[in-house]
Amino acid sequence: MPAQGASLVMDASEPRRLFCLGDQPCPSVSRAWLLDGPVNSDDLQEWLDEAGYDAEVEDDCSSGSCRVDGSADDWRFTLFVTTPGPGESSRLSLSVRH
């Protein structure tokens, strides 16, 4: 989903089960990437559109953090973008659950 040059820093999944235990819904996938630089709201909206997610970026990602909730093919997702400071790399975290 993120642009080229992004490095995957976290990848976790929870398979479908008869009973889901703990706080992690099942099935679900969580991933996080460290990006080469800051992310703005337009970049994020372009990535969401290209991935086929039904969501609109309403927050200003240049403020340091933004959150997007949406869906794609009966799956719900939450996406967080955090940027520690001006000009620093952003972290993109994606959680997808059924």
Side-chain angles (χ1 to χ4, degrees), residues 7-30:
S7 49
L8 186 66
V9 294
M10 194 267 296
D11 187 5
S13 62
E14 189 69 30
R16 183 178 304 274
R17 299 179 184 192
L18 187 56
F19 298 103
C20 297
L21 304 173
D23 294 336
Q24 191 69 278
C26 62
S28 65
V29 175
S30 297

Side-chain angles (χ1 to χ4, degrees), residues 52-79:
Y53 292 135
D54 181 21
E56 295 294 322
V57 178
E58 296 176 7
D59 295 339
D60 179 10
C61 295
S62 63
S63 68
S65 67
C66 62
R67 173 186 172 145
V68 178
D69 293 296
S71 63
D73 298 327
D74 295 327
W75 291 80
R76 294 172 294 152
F77 75 88
T78 301
L79 185 104

Side-chain angles (χ1 to χ4, degrees), residues 80-98:
F80 290 99
V81 176
T82 54
T83 306
E88 293 188 42
S89 295
S90 294
R91 180 182 172 109
L92 179 76
S93 301
L94 174 67
S95 175
V96 181
R97 62 213 170 277
H98 202 260

Side-chain angles (χ1 to χ4, degrees), residues 37-57:
V39 172
N40 64 44
S41 301
D42 292 335
D43 292 335
L44 184 57
Q45 186 65 58
E46 184 178 328
W47 295 338
L48 291 167
D49 293 343
E50 286 176 5
Y53 292 135
D54 181 21
E56 295 294 322
V57 178

